Amino acid sequence: MEKSIDVGILGATGAVGQQFIALLAEHPWFRVTWLGASQRSEGKAYRDASAWRLASPLPDDIARLGVDAATPGRAPKLVFSGLDSSVAGEIEGAFAQAGHLVVSNSKNYRMEPDVPLLIPEVNADHLGLLDSQALRGWKGRIVTNPNCTTVVLSMALAPLCQFGLKTVMVTTLQAISGAGYPGVASWDILGNVIPFIDGEEEKVETEPKKILGRLRDNRVEPHPARMSAQTTRVGVLNGHTESVSVALEQHPTPEVIIDAWQSFKGKLQLMELPSAPARPVVYLTERNRPQPALDVDRGRGMTVSVGRLRPCPVLDYKFIALGHNTIRGAAGAAILNAELMHREGLL
Ligand code: NAP
């Protein structure tokens, strides 16, 4: 198959960067030709700069590729970013200024009013914000994907918006791979639950409102639902599990809600993008599912699994949602965003 579009990866050595390399190895359109990371890695062959931690083999051509400084110039026009958020703001801004299209995982630009915070199945029309980035004097553009917890929640909530979503309460059980590598010390996480993830609850309470919001007059009107989140880190390798309760204005039966999840498609599937799962949301009927050990890789890690829908004595309904945090929650999400932009003629 022809790989016709050169791409670069900023933060190529990290947990998300490695997932980019693995997912792009077989990609029909995108060919990785450039890798950028910190001064620690600069000038080394990728195999020496990174501690490869994925089960899939490191492709030979990438292993030999040299890691460059994270500065614009030699990188191709389309650049995926898995940069640490402490540096992503400045570096991604410099790449956009210099004319690159940055498709980012980092939090830094997500809530900027002129930057799309994109889940293609949910809010593809928010790409309409891109034009207003010209006002910053950028020759390029930045598109972001949500926080790994937010994307799972937002995909589970999107089919419920038609019933008048009023209130959302969510408690998360988040995998250790969500903290990057080496992440949380084994001493802290083995046999333990850590009831604090810095900055996470604020992201989970604000990002879904932008994603589920309406694009009007070149800005996003946030969805009015009230959101409350409690986030915890648990000893799971991959997959964020979320225990969700919702209040709705209407009174759909459980069957109607399950049908809304099962039939949820978005415009994207019609376009048959390479990374789009056939089913973005799947409802599991077994009473002890979804589980990260069994369900995290559904749809090549791009499907959100939902289960255990039941009445909530406080709000209206409660359920469990699960998604792969480094695929649907990071690299896979960004690749899908870039595929959508390619199809829309924006690359
Ligand atoms: P990570 O494993 O710590 O990797 C961070 C990357 O940033 C490395 O490639 C590192 O390069 C690079 N970097 C650090 N300082 C730099 C500097 N001064 N200049 C240039 N590059 C620098 O982190 P991660 O888990 O992959 O996360 C990356 C980003 O994605 C973060 O913003 C995170 O919040 C976001 N994210 C992560 C997940 C997840 O599930 N892990 C999900 C969604 C979003 P060196 O190796 O050379 O230091």
Side-chain angles (χ1 to χ4, degrees):
M1 243 181 265
E2 192 193 356
K3 284 175 170 272
S4 53
I5 303 168
D6 287 353
V7 304
I9 302 173
L10 279 164
T13 48
V16 173
Q18 294 188 15
Q19 200 61 259
F20 272 124
I21 288 169
L23 294 175
L24 291 169
E26 302 297 328
H27 199 279
W29 306 341
F30 301 140
R31 175 179 53 207
V32 177
T33 58
W34 183 89
L35 305 170
S38 76
Q39 283 182 337
R40 186 190 70 76
S41 310
E42 186 185 334
K44 294 181 184 167
Y46 184 77
R47 83 163 74 77
D48 301 322
S50 76
W52 186 254
R53 306 216 62 79
L54 298 179
S56 54
L58 171 61
D60 282 344
D61 54 334
I62 302 292
R64 287 192 296 269
L65 201 57
V67 179
D68 204 350
T71 47
R74 289 184 288 271
K77 183 173 179 196
L78 176 59
V79 175
F80 292 106
S81 171
L83 283 171
D84 190 272
S85 58
S86 62
V87 295
E90 197 176 325
I91 295 175
E92 291 175 1
F95 272 72
Q97 172 95 45
H100 293 275
L101 272 174
V102 182
V103 183
S104 171
N105 278 280
S106 298
K107 66 177 183 184
N108 308 62
Y109 288 93
R110 285 184 195 143
M111 296 306 290
E112 295 284 309
D114 57 351
V115 174
L117 177 56
L118 207 61
I119 301 177
E121 294 96 330
V122 177
N123 63 346
D125 60 317
H126 289 197
L127 279 175
L129 292 175
L130 283 176
D131 285 346
S132 40
Q133 291 182 18
L135 297 173
R136 293 177 182 251
W138 286 350
K139 285 186 268 172
R141 298 287 184 265
I142 295 181
V143 169
T144 59
N145 54 264
N147 162 276
C148 43
T149 315
T150 304
V151 72
V152 177
L153 181 64
S154 302
M155 288 179 68
L157 293 178
L160 308 186
C161 287
Q162 61 186 300
F163 308 120
L165 185 67
K166 279 197 305 194
T167 307
V168 180
M169 300 197 61
V170 56
T171 301
T172 69
L173 303 92
Q174 300 187 210
I176 52 175
S177 60
Y181 184 82
V184 192
S186 55
W187 185 270
D188 291 334
I189 197 69
L190 280 175
N192 200 13
V193 173
I194 300 173
F196 175 71
I197 303 174
D198 197 11
E200 193 78 352
E201 288 167 1
E202 293 79 359
K203 290 179 211 163
V204 179
E205 289 173 358
T206 53
E207 291 181 12
K209 291 164 73 74
K210 179 172 180 182
I211 295 159
L212 301 173
R214 248 193 314 190
L215 184 69
R216 192 176 281 177
D217 299 332
N218 246 357
R219 55 182 288 275
V220 175
E221 288 175 0
H223 192 284
R226 292 192 310 158
M227 307 252 172
S228 174
Q230 301 198 67
T231 58
T232 74
R233 185 80 66 198
V234 298
V236 165
L237 202 52
N238 290 309
H240 290 354
T241 304
E242 307 184 11
S243 169
V244 189
S245 295
V246 293
L248 305 169
E249 276 162 18
Q250 298 172 23
H251 304 286
T253 62
E255 292 73 25
V256 167
I257 292 178
I258 290 169
D259 184 60
W261 278 322
Q262 298 283 56
S263 58
F264 176 66
K265 287 230 178 276
K267 153 182 171 195
L268 175 74
Q269 271 63 35
L270 305 174
M271 302 195 297
E272 293 178 346
L273 299 178
S275 302
R279 304 266 305 276
V281 180
V282 165
Y283 185 80
L284 305 176
T285 52
E286 297 90 335
R287 62 184 189 174
N288 61 354
R289 304 282 278 276
Q291 297 178 18
L294 302 178
D295 300 309
V296 74
D297 290 326
R298 179 163 285 105
R300 289 171 291 135
M302 292 295 282
T303 292
V304 168
S305 300
V306 180
R308 299 209 63 219
L309 180 70
R310 61 223 191 272
C312 171
V314 178
L315 301 183
D316 292 323
Y317 281 104
K318 51 187 174 179
F319 60 88
I320 305 290
L322 164 78
H324 198 305
N325 52 294
T326 64
I327 300 181
R328 180 47 101 158
I335 293 169
L336 189 57
N337 285 352
E339 290 170 359
L340 176 67
M341 292 170 74
H342 179 52
R343 267 291 152 79
E344 301 272 317
L346 295 167
L347 291 190

